[in-house]
Coordinates of all heavy atoms in Angstrom, one line a residue:
M194 N -25.5 45.4 13.1 CA -25.2 44.0 13.3 C -26.0 43.5 14.5 O -26.2 44.1 15.5 CB -23.7 43.9 13.6 CG -23.1 42.6 13.1 SD -21.3 42.7 13.1 CE -21.0 42.1 14.7
G195 N -26.5 42.3 14.3 CA -27.3 41.7 15.4 C -26.5 41.3 16.6 O -25.4 40.8 16.4
L196 N -27.1 41.5 17.7 CA -26.4 41.1 19.0 C -27.3 40.2 19.8 O -28.5 40.4 19.7 CB -26.0 42.4 19.8 CG -24.9 43.3 19.3 CD1 -24.8 44.6 20.0 CD2 -23.6 42.6 19.3
P197 N -26.7 39.4 20.6 CA -27.5 38.5 21.4 C -28.2 39.3 22.5 O -27.6 40.1 23.1 CB -26.5 37.5 22.0 CG -25.2 38.1 21.8 CD -25.3 39.0 20.6
S198 N -29.5 39.1 22.6 CA -30.3 39.9 23.5 C -30.1 39.6 25.0 O -30.2 40.4 25.9 CB -31.8 39.8 23.2 OG -32.2 38.4 23.3
K199 N -29.7 38.3 25.2 CA -29.4 37.9 26.6 C -28.1 37.1 26.7 O -27.8 36.4 25.7 CB -30.6 37.1 27.2 CG -31.7 38.0 27.8 CD -32.7 37.1 28.4 CE -33.9 38.0 28.9 NZ -35.0 37.2 29.4
K200 N -27.5 37.1 27.8 CA -26.3 36.3 28.0 C -26.6 34.8 28.0 O -27.6 34.4 28.7 CB -25.6 36.7 29.3 CG -24.3 36.0 29.5 CD -23.8 36.1 30.9 CE -22.6 35.3 31.1 NZ -22.1 35.3 32.5
L201 N -25.8 34.0 27.3 CA -26.0 32.6 27.3 C -25.2 32.0 28.6 O -24.0 32.3 28.7 CB -25.4 31.9 26.1 CG -26.3 31.6 24.9 CD1 -25.6 30.9 23.8 CD2 -27.5 30.8 25.3
T202 N -25.9 31.3 29.5 CA -25.2 30.8 30.6 C -24.4 29.6 30.2 O -24.5 29.1 29.2 CB -26.2 30.3 31.7 OG1 -27.0 29.3 31.1 CG2 -27.2 31.4 32.1
K203 N -23.4 29.4 31.1 CA -22.5 28.2 30.8 C -23.2 27.0 30.6 O -23.0 26.2 29.7 CB -21.6 28.0 32.1 CG -20.4 28.9 32.1 CD -19.6 28.5 33.4 CE -18.6 29.6 33.7 NZ -17.9 29.3 35.0
S204 N -24.3 26.8 31.5 CA -25.0 25.5 31.4 C -25.8 25.4 30.1 O -25.8 24.3 29.5 CB -25.9 25.4 32.6 OG -27.0 26.3 32.5
S205 N -26.4 26.5 29.7 CA -27.2 26.4 28.4 C -26.2 26.1 27.2 O -26.6 25.3 26.3 CB -28.0 27.6 28.2 OG -27.2 28.7 28.1
K206 N -25.1 26.8 27.2 CA -24.1 26.6 26.2 C -23.6 25.1 26.2 O -23.6 24.4 25.1 CB -22.9 27.4 26.5 CG -22.5 28.4 25.4 CD -21.2 29.0 25.6 CE -21.1 30.0 26.8 NZ -19.8 30.6 26.9
R207 N -23.3 24.6 27.4 CA -22.8 23.2 27.5 C -23.9 22.2 27.1 O -23.6 21.2 26.6 CB -22.2 23.0 28.9 CG -20.9 23.7 29.1 CD -20.5 23.7 30.5 NE -19.3 24.5 30.6 CZ -18.7 24.8 31.8 NH1 -19.2 24.4 32.9 NH2 -17.7 25.5 31.8
R208 N -25.2 22.5 27.5 CA -26.2 21.6 27.2 C -26.3 21.5 25.6 O -26.5 20.4 25.1 CB -27.5 22.1 27.8 CG -28.3 21.1 28.5 CD -29.6 21.6 29.0 NE -29.5 22.8 29.9 CZ -30.3 23.9 29.8 NH1 -31.3 23.9 29.0 NH2 -30.1 24.9 30.6
R209 N -26.2 22.6 24.9 CA -26.3 22.6 23.5 C -25.1 21.8 22.9 O -25.3 20.9 22.0 CB -26.3 24.0 22.9 CG -26.3 24.0 21.4 CD -26.7 25.4 20.8 NE -26.5 26.5 21.6 CZ -25.4 27.3 21.6 NH1 -24.4 27.0 20.8 NH2 -25.2 28.3 22.3
A210 N -24.0 22.0 23.5 CA -22.7 21.4 23.0 C -22.7 19.9 23.3 O -21.9 19.1 22.7 CB -21.5 22.0 23.6
S211 N -23.6 19.4 24.1 CA -23.6 18.0 24.4 C -23.9 17.1 23.2 O -23.7 15.9 23.2 CB -24.6 17.7 25.6 OG -25.9 17.8 25.1
H212 N -24.5 17.7 22.2 CA -24.8 16.9 21.0 C -23.8 17.1 19.9 O -24.0 16.6 18.8 CB -26.2 17.4 20.5 CG -27.3 17.2 21.5 ND1 -27.8 15.9 21.8 CD2 -27.9 18.0 22.3 CE1 -28.8 16.0 22.7 NE2 -28.8 17.3 23.0
F213 N -22.7 17.8 20.1 CA -21.8 18.1 19.0 C -20.7 17.0 18.8 O -20.1 17.0 17.8 CB -21.0 19.4 19.3 CG -21.8 20.7 19.2 CD1 -21.4 21.9 19.7 CD2 -23.1 20.6 18.6 CE1 -22.1 23.0 19.6 CE2 -23.8 21.8 18.5 CZ -23.4 23.0 19.0
A214 N -20.7 16.1 19.7 CA -19.6 15.0 19.6 C -19.8 14.2 18.4 O -21.0 13.9 18.0 CB -19.6 14.2 20.8
L215 N -18.7 13.8 17.7 CA -18.8 12.9 16.5 C -19.0 11.5 17.0 O -18.4 11.1 18.0 CB -17.6 13.1 15.7 CG -17.3 14.5 15.1 CD1 -16.0 14.5 14.4 CD2 -18.4 14.9 14.2
R216 N -19.7 10.7 16.2 CA -19.9 9.3 16.5 C -18.9 8.5 15.8 O -18.5 8.8 14.6 CB -21.3 8.8 16.1 CG -22.4 9.5 17.0 CD -23.5 8.6 17.2 NE -24.5 9.3 18.1 CZ -25.6 9.9 17.6 NH1 -25.8 10.0 16.3 NH2 -26.4 10.5 18.5
K217 N -18.6 7.3 16.3 CA -17.6 6.4 15.7 C -18.3 5.7 14.6 O -19.5 5.4 14.7 CB -17.2 5.4 16.8 CG -15.8 4.9 16.5 CD -15.5 4.0 17.7 CE -14.1 3.3 17.4 NZ -13.8 2.3 18.5
I218 N -17.6 5.5 13.5 CA -18.2 4.9 12.3 C -18.2 3.3 12.5 O -17.1 2.8 12.9 CB -17.4 5.2 11.0 CG1 -17.6 6.7 10.7 CG2 -18.0 4.4 9.8 CD1 -16.7 7.1 9.6
V219 N -19.3 2.7 12.3 CA -19.4 1.2 12.5 C -19.1 0.6 11.1 O -19.7 1.0 10.1 CB -20.8 0.8 13.0 CG1 -20.8 -0.7 13.2 CG2 -21.1 1.5 14.3
I220 N -18.2 -0.3 11.1 CA -17.9 -1.0 9.8 C -18.0 -2.5 10.0 O -17.5 -3.0 11.0 CB -16.5 -0.6 9.3 CG1 -16.4 0.8 8.9 CG2 -16.1 -1.5 8.2 CD1 -15.1 1.4 8.6
T221 N -18.7 -3.1 9.1 CA -18.8 -4.6 9.1 C -18.1 -5.2 8.0 O -17.6 -4.5 7.1 CB -20.3 -5.0 9.1 OG1 -20.9 -4.5 7.9 CG2 -21.1 -4.6 10.3
R222 N -18.1 -6.5 7.9 CA -17.4 -7.2 6.8 C -18.4 -7.8 5.8 O -19.5 -8.2 6.2 CB -16.6 -8.3 7.4 CG -15.4 -7.9 8.2 CD -14.2 -7.8 7.4 NE -13.2 -7.0 8.2 CZ -12.1 -6.4 7.6 NH1 -11.9 -6.6 6.4 NH2 -11.3 -5.7 8.3
C223 N -18.1 -7.7 4.5 CA -19.0 -8.3 3.5 C -18.9 -9.8 3.7 O -17.9 -10.4 3.9 CB -18.5 -7.9 2.1 SG -19.3 -8.8 0.8
A224 N -20.1 -10.4 3.6 CA -20.2 -11.8 3.8 C -19.5 -12.6 2.7 O -19.0 -13.7 2.9 CB -21.7 -12.2 3.9
K225 N -19.5 -12.0 1.5 CA -18.9 -12.7 0.3 C -17.4 -12.5 0.2 O -16.6 -13.4 0.1 CB -19.6 -12.3 -1.0 CG -19.4 -13.2 -2.1 CD -20.1 -12.7 -3.3 CE -19.6 -13.5 -4.6 NZ -20.0 -12.8 -5.8
C226 N -17.0 -11.2 0.1 CA -15.6 -10.9 -0.2 C -14.8 -10.5 1.0 O -13.7 -10.2 0.9 CB -15.5 -9.9 -1.3 SG -16.2 -8.2 -0.8
K227 N -15.5 -10.3 2.2 CA -14.8 -10.0 3.5 C -14.2 -8.6 3.5 O -13.3 -8.4 4.3 CB -13.7 -11.0 3.8 CG -14.2 -12.5 3.7 CD -15.2 -12.8 4.8 CE -15.6 -14.3 4.7 NZ -16.8 -14.6 5.4
K228 N -14.6 -7.7 2.6 CA -14.1 -6.4 2.6 C -14.9 -5.5 3.5 O -16.1 -5.8 3.8 CB -14.1 -5.8 1.2 CG -12.9 -6.3 0.4 CD -12.7 -5.7 -0.9 CE -11.5 -6.2 -1.6 NZ -11.4 -5.9 -3.0
P229 N -14.3 -4.4 4.1 CA -15.1 -3.5 5.0 C -16.3 -2.8 4.3 O -16.1 -2.2 3.3 CB -14.1 -2.5 5.5 CG -13.0 -2.6 4.5 CD -13.0 -4.0 3.9
V230 N -17.5 -2.9 4.9 CA -18.7 -2.3 4.3 C -19.5 -1.7 5.4 O -19.5 -2.2 6.6 CB -19.5 -3.5 3.7 CG1 -20.8 -2.9 3.1 CG2 -18.7 -4.2 2.6
L231 N -20.2 -0.6 5.1 CA -21.1 0.0 6.1 C -22.3 -0.9 6.3 O -22.7 -1.5 5.3 CB -21.6 1.4 5.6 CG -20.5 2.5 5.5 CD1 -21.1 3.7 4.8 CD2 -20.1 2.9 6.9
P232 N -22.8 -1.0 7.5 CA -23.9 -1.9 7.8 C -25.2 -1.4 7.0 O -25.4 -0.2 6.9 CB -24.1 -1.8 9.3 CG -23.4 -0.6 9.7 CD -22.3 -0.4 8.7
H233 N -26.0 -2.3 6.5 CA -27.2 -2.0 5.8 C -26.9 -1.3 4.5 O -27.7 -0.5 4.0 CB -28.2 -1.2 6.6 CG -28.5 -1.8 7.9 ND1 -29.4 -2.9 8.0 CD2 -28.1 -1.6 9.2 CE1 -29.5 -3.3 9.3 NE2 -28.7 -2.5 10.0
H234 N -25.7 -1.6 3.9 CA -25.4 -1.0 2.6 C -24.9 -2.1 1.6 O -24.4 -3.2 2.1 CB -24.2 0.0 2.7 CG -24.7 1.3 3.3 ND1 -24.8 2.4 2.5 CD2 -25.0 1.7 4.5 CE1 -25.2 3.4 3.2 NE2 -25.4 3.0 4.5
V235 N -25.1 -1.9 0.3 CA -24.6 -2.9 -0.6 C -23.1 -2.8 -0.7 O -22.5 -1.7 -0.6 CB -25.2 -2.6 -2.0 CG1 -24.7 -3.5 -3.1 CG2 -26.7 -2.7 -2.0
C236 N -22.5 -4.0 -0.8 CA -21.0 -4.0 -0.9 C -20.6 -3.3 -2.2 O -21.1 -3.7 -3.3 CB -20.5 -5.5 -0.9 SG -18.8 -5.6 -1.1
Q237 N -19.6 -2.4 -2.1 CA -19.2 -1.7 -3.3 C -18.3 -2.5 -4.2 O -18.1 -2.2 -5.3 CB -18.4 -0.4 -2.8 CG -19.2 0.5 -2.0 CD -20.1 1.4 -2.9 OE1 -19.6 2.0 -3.9 NE2 -21.3 1.5 -2.6
F238 N -17.7 -3.6 -3.6 CA -16.7 -4.3 -4.3 C -17.3 -5.5 -5.1 O -16.9 -5.8 -6.2 CB -15.7 -4.8 -3.3 CG -15.0 -3.7 -2.5 CD1 -15.5 -3.4 -1.2 CD2 -14.1 -2.9 -3.1 CE1 -14.9 -2.4 -0.5 CE2 -13.5 -1.9 -2.4 CZ -13.9 -1.6 -1.1
C239 N -18.3 -6.2 -4.5 CA -18.9 -7.4 -5.2 C -20.4 -7.2 -5.5 O -21.0 -8.0 -6.2 CB -18.6 -8.6 -4.4 SG -19.4 -8.7 -2.8
G240 N -21.0 -6.1 -5.0 CA -22.4 -5.9 -5.3 C -23.4 -6.8 -4.7 O -24.5 -6.9 -5.2
T241 N -23.1 -7.3 -3.5 CA -24.0 -8.2 -2.9 C -24.6 -7.6 -1.6 O -23.9 -6.7 -1.0 CB -23.4 -9.6 -2.5 OG1 -22.2 -9.3 -1.6 CG2 -22.9 -10.3 -3.6
Y242 N -25.8 -7.9 -1.2 CA -26.4 -7.5 0.0 C -27.1 -8.7 0.6 O -27.9 -9.4 -0.1 CB -27.4 -6.3 -0.2 CG -28.0 -5.8 1.1 CD1 -27.3 -5.0 1.9 CD2 -29.3 -6.3 1.5 CE1 -27.9 -4.5 3.1 CE2 -29.8 -5.8 2.7 CZ -29.1 -4.9 3.4 OH -29.6 -4.5 4.6
N243 N -26.8 -9.0 1.8 CA -27.4 -10.1 2.5 C -27.1 -11.4 1.8 O -28.0 -12.3 1.8 CB -28.8 -9.8 2.7 CG -29.3 -10.3 4.1 OD1 -28.5 -10.9 4.8 ND2 -30.6 -10.1 4.4
G244 N -26.0 -11.5 1.2 CA -25.6 -12.8 0.6 C -26.1 -12.9 -0.9 O -25.7 -14.0 -1.5
R245 N -26.9 -12.0 -1.4 CA -27.3 -12.2 -2.8 C -26.9 -11.0 -3.7 O -26.8 -9.8 -3.1 CB -28.8 -12.4 -2.9 CG -29.6 -11.2 -2.5 CD -31.1 -11.7 -2.3 NE -31.8 -10.6 -1.6 CZ -32.4 -9.6 -2.2 NH1 -32.4 -9.5 -3.5 NH2 -33.1 -8.7 -1.5
A246 N -26.7 -11.2 -4.9 CA -26.2 -10.1 -5.9 C -27.3 -9.2 -6.1 O -28.4 -9.6 -6.5 CB -25.7 -10.8 -7.2
V247 N -27.1 -7.9 -5.9 CA -28.1 -6.8 -6.0 C -27.8 -6.0 -7.2 O -28.6 -5.6 -8.0 CB -28.2 -6.0 -4.7 CG1 -29.3 -5.0 -4.9 CG2 -28.5 -6.9 -3.6
I248 N -26.5 -5.5 -7.3 CA -26.1 -4.7 -8.4 C -24.9 -5.3 -9.2 O -24.2 -6.1 -8.6 CB -25.7 -3.2 -8.0 CG1 -24.7 -3.3 -6.8 CG2 -27.0 -2.5 -7.6 CD1 -24.1 -1.9 -6.5
K249 N -24.8 -4.9 -10.4 CA -23.7 -5.5 -11.2 C -22.5 -4.5 -11.0 O -22.6 -3.3 -11.1 CB -24.0 -5.5 -12.7 CG -24.8 -6.7 -13.1 CD -25.1 -6.8 -14.6 CE -26.0 -7.9 -14.9 NZ -26.4 -7.9 -16.3
I250 N -21.3 -5.1 -10.7 CA -20.1 -4.2 -10.6 C -19.3 -4.5 -11.8 O -18.9 -5.6 -12.2 CB -19.4 -4.7 -9.3 CG1 -20.2 -4.5 -8.1 CG2 -18.1 -3.9 -9.2 CD1 -20.5 -3.1 -7.6
K251 N -18.9 -3.3 -12.4 CA -18.0 -3.4 -13.5 C -16.6 -3.7 -13.0 O -16.1 -2.9 -12.1 CB -18.0 -2.1 -14.4 CG -19.2 -2.0 -15.2 CD -19.1 -0.7 -16.0 CE -20.5 -0.5 -16.7 NZ -20.5 0.9 -17.2
S252 N -15.9 -4.6 -13.5 CA -14.5 -4.9 -13.0 C -13.6 -3.9 -13.6 O -13.9 -3.2 -14.6 CB -14.1 -6.3 -13.4 OG -13.9 -6.4 -14.8
K253 N -12.4 -3.7 -13.0 CA -11.4 -2.7 -13.4 C -10.9 -3.1 -14.8 O -10.7 -2.2 -15.6 CB -10.3 -2.7 -12.4 CG -10.6 -1.9 -11.2 CD -9.4 -1.7 -10.3 CE -9.7 -0.8 -9.1 NZ -8.6 -0.7 -8.2
L254 N -10.8 -4.4 -15.1 CA -10.3 -4.8 -16.4 C -11.3 -4.4 -17.5 O -10.9 -3.9 -18.5 CB -10.2 -6.3 -16.5 CG -8.9 -6.9 -15.9 CD1 -8.9 -8.4 -15.9 CD2 -7.7 -6.4 -16.7
D255 N -12.6 -4.5 -17.3 CA -13.6 -4.1 -18.2 C -13.5 -2.6 -18.5 O -13.5 -2.2 -19.7 CB -15.0 -4.4 -17.7 CG -15.3 -5.9 -17.8 OD1 -14.5 -6.6 -18.4 OD2 -16.3 -6.3 -17.2
K256 N -13.3 -1.8 -17.5 CA -13.2 -0.4 -17.6 C -12.0 0.0 -18.4 O -12.0 0.8 -19.3 CB -13.0 0.3 -16.2 CG -14.4 0.5 -15.5 CD -14.2 1.3 -14.2 CE -15.5 1.4 -13.5 NZ -15.3 1.9 -12.2
K257 N -10.8 -0.7 -18.2 CA -9.6 -0.4 -18.9 C -9.8 -0.7 -20.4 O -9.4 0.1 -21.3 CB -8.5 -1.4 -18.4 CG -7.5 -0.6 -17.5 CD -6.3 -1.5 -17.3 CE -5.4 -0.9 -16.3 NZ -4.3 -1.8 -15.9
K258 N -10.5 -1.9 -20.7 CA -10.7 -2.3 -22.1 C -11.6 -1.2 -22.8 O -11.3 -0.8 -23.9 CB -11.4 -3.6 -22.2 CG -10.4 -4.8 -22.0 CD -11.2 -6.1 -22.1 CE -10.3 -7.3 -21.8 NZ -11.0 -8.5 -21.7
K259 N -12.6 -0.8 -22.1 CA -13.5 0.2 -22.7 C -12.7 1.5 -23.0 O -12.9 2.1 -24.1 CB -14.6 0.6 -21.7 CG -15.9 -0.2 -22.0 CD -17.0 0.4 -21.2 CE -18.3 -0.3 -21.6 NZ -19.4 0.2 -20.8
K260 N -11.9 1.9 -22.0 CA -11.1 3.2 -22.2 C -10.2 3.0 -23.4 O -10.1 3.9 -24.3 CB -10.3 3.4 -21.0 CG -10.2 4.9 -20.5 CD -9.3 5.0 -19.3 CE -9.5 6.4 -18.7 NZ -8.5 6.6 -17.6
E261 N -9.5 1.9 -23.5 CA -8.6 1.7 -24.7 C -9.4 1.7 -26.0 O -8.9 2.3 -27.0 CB -7.9 0.3 -24.5 CG -6.8 0.3 -23.5 CD -6.2 -1.0 -23.2 OE1 -6.7 -2.0 -23.8 OE2 -5.3 -1.1 -22.4
A262 N -10.5 1.1 -26.0 CA -11.3 1.1 -27.3 C -11.7 2.5 -27.6 O -11.7 2.9 -28.8 CB -12.6 0.2 -27.0
K263 N -12.2 3.3 -26.6 CA -12.5 4.7 -26.9 C -11.4 5.5 -27.5 O -11.5 6.2 -28.4 CB -13.0 5.3 -25.6 CG -14.5 5.5 -25.4 CD -14.8 6.4 -24.3 CE -16.3 6.5 -24.0 NZ -16.6 7.4 -22.8
E264 N -10.2 5.3 -26.8 CA -9.0 6.1 -27.3 C -8.7 5.7 -28.7 O -8.3 6.6 -29.5 CB -7.9 5.8 -26.3 CG -7.9 6.7 -25.1 CD -6.9 6.3 -24.0 OE1 -6.0 5.5 -24.3 OE2 -7.0 6.8 -22.9
K265 N -8.8 4.4 -29.0 CA -8.5 3.9 -30.4 C -9.4 4.6 -31.4 O -8.9 5.1 -32.4 CB -8.6 2.4 -30.4 CG -7.3 1.7 -30.3 CD -7.6 0.2 -30.6 CE -6.3 -0.6 -30.3 NZ -6.5 -2.0 -30.5
T266 N -10.7 4.6 -31.1 CA -11.6 5.2 -32.0 C -11.3 6.7 -32.2 O -11.4 7.3 -33.3 CB -13.1 5.0 -31.6 OG1 -13.2 5.5 -30.2 CG2 -13.5 3.6 -31.7
K267 N -11.0 7.4 -31.1 CA -10.7 8.8 -31.2 C -9.5 9.1 -32.1 O -9.5 10.0 -32.9 CB -10.4 9.4 -29.8 CG -11.6 9.9 -29.0 CD -11.2 10.5 -27.8 CE -12.4 10.9 -26.9 NZ -12.0 11.5 -25.6
K268 N -8.4 8.2 -31.9 CA -7.2 8.4 -32.7 C -7.5 8.2 -34.2 O -7.1 8.9 -35.1 CB -6.2 7.4 -32.3 CG -5.4 7.8 -31.1 CD -4.3 6.8 -30.7 CE -3.6 7.2 -29.5 NZ -2.7 6.2 -29.0
E269 N -8.4 7.2 -34.5 CA -8.7 6.9 -35.9 C -9.5 8.1 -36.5 O -9.2 8.4 -37.6 CB -9.5 5.6 -35.9 CG -8.7 4.3 -35.8 CD -9.5 3.1 -35.6 OE1 -10.8 3.2 -35.8 OE2 -8.9 2.1 -35.2
E270 N -10.4 8.6 -35.7 CA -11.1 9.8 -36.2 C -10.2 10.9 -36.5 O -10.4 11.6 -37.6 CB -12.2 10.3 -35.1 CG -13.4 9.4 -35.1 CD -14.4 9.9 -33.9 OE1 -14.2 11.0 -33.4 OE2 -15.2 9.1 -33.6
K271 N -9.2 11.2 -35.6 CA -8.3 12.3 -35.9 C -7.5 12.1 -37.2 O -7.4 13.0 -38.0 CB -7.3 12.4 -34.7 CG -7.8 13.3 -33.5 CD -6.8 13.4 -32.5 CE -7.3 14.2 -31.3 NZ -6.3 14.3 -30.2
K272 N -7.1 10.8 -37.3 CA -6.3 10.4 -38.5 C -7.2 10.7 -39.8 O -6.7 11.3 -40.8 CB -5.9 9.0 -38.5 CG -4.6 8.8 -37.7 CD -4.1 7.3 -37.7 CE -3.0 7.1 -36.9 NZ -2.6 5.6 -36.8
S273 N -8.4 10.2 -39.7 CA -9.2 10.4 -40.9 C -9.5 11.9 -41.2 O -9.5 12.3 -42.4 CB -10.5 9.6 -40.7 OG -11.2 10.2 -39.6
K274 N -9.6 12.7 -40.2 CA -9.9 14.1 -40.3 C -8.7 14.7 -41.0 O -8.8 15.6 -41.9 CB -10.1 14.8 -39.0 CG -11.6 14.7 -38.6 CD -11.9 15.5 -37.3 CE -13.3 15.4 -36.9 NZ -13.5 16.0 -35.6
K275 N -7.4 14.4 -40.6 CA -6.2 14.9 -41.1 C -6.1 14.6 -42.6 O -5.8 15.5 -43.4 CB -5.0 14.3 -40.3 CG -4.6 15.2 -39.1 CD -3.4 14.6 -38.5 CE -3.1 15.4 -37.2 NZ -1.9 14.8 -36.5
K276 N -6.4 13.3 -42.9 CA -6.3 13.0 -44.3 C -7.3 13.8 -45.2 O -6.9 14.2 -46.2 CB -6.7 11.4 -44.4 CG -5.5 10.6 -44.1 CD -5.9 9.1 -44.2 CE -4.8 8.2 -43.8 NZ -5.2 6.8 -43.7
E277 N -8.5 14.0 -44.6 CA -9.5 14.8 -45.4 C -9.0 16.2 -45.6 O -9.2 16.7 -46.7 CB -10.8 14.7 -44.6 CG -11.6 13.5 -44.7 CD -12.8 13.4 -43.8 OE1 -13.2 14.5 -43.3 OE2 -13.3 12.3 -43.6
T278 N -8.4 16.8 -44.6 CA -7.9 18.2 -44.7 C -6.8 18.3 -45.7 O -6.6 19.2 -46.4 CB -7.5 18.7 -43.3 OG1 -6.6 17.8 -42.7 CG2 -8.7 18.9 -42.4
K279 N -5.9 17.2 -45.8 CA -4.8 17.3 -46.7 C -5.3 17.3 -48.2 O -4.7 17.9 -49.0 CB -3.9 16.1 -46.5 CG -2.9 16.3 -45.3 CD -2.0 15.1 -45.1 CE -1.1 15.4 -43.9 NZ -0.3 14.2 -43.6
K280 N -6.3 16.5 -48.4 CA -6.8 16.4 -49.8 C -7.5 17.7 -50.1 O -7.4 18.4 -50.9 CB -7.9 15.2 -49.9 CG -7.2 13.9 -49.9 CD -8.3 12.8 -49.8 CE -7.7 11.4 -49.7 NZ -8.7 10.4 -49.5
Ligands
ZN599 ZN1 -18.5 -7.9 -1.0

């Protein structure tokens, strides 16, 4: 097993540890929707950066509708398969 060749002094240890502290997270507000956003990042909620739309955000309602449509098609497929097997 490897061993340290020389003793680390208190000061060298502490000097290294001086960079270990965690920094506080800076949070700003979105200009459009006023939700908390990281600085220099696109808003996750409305998709704007610096006041203009950059990315399209799918609304929760759209996602729900898509999911429902998918489930419906799956159910129909299962039903049709069952009918085919019965015949
Ligand atoms: Zn926003």
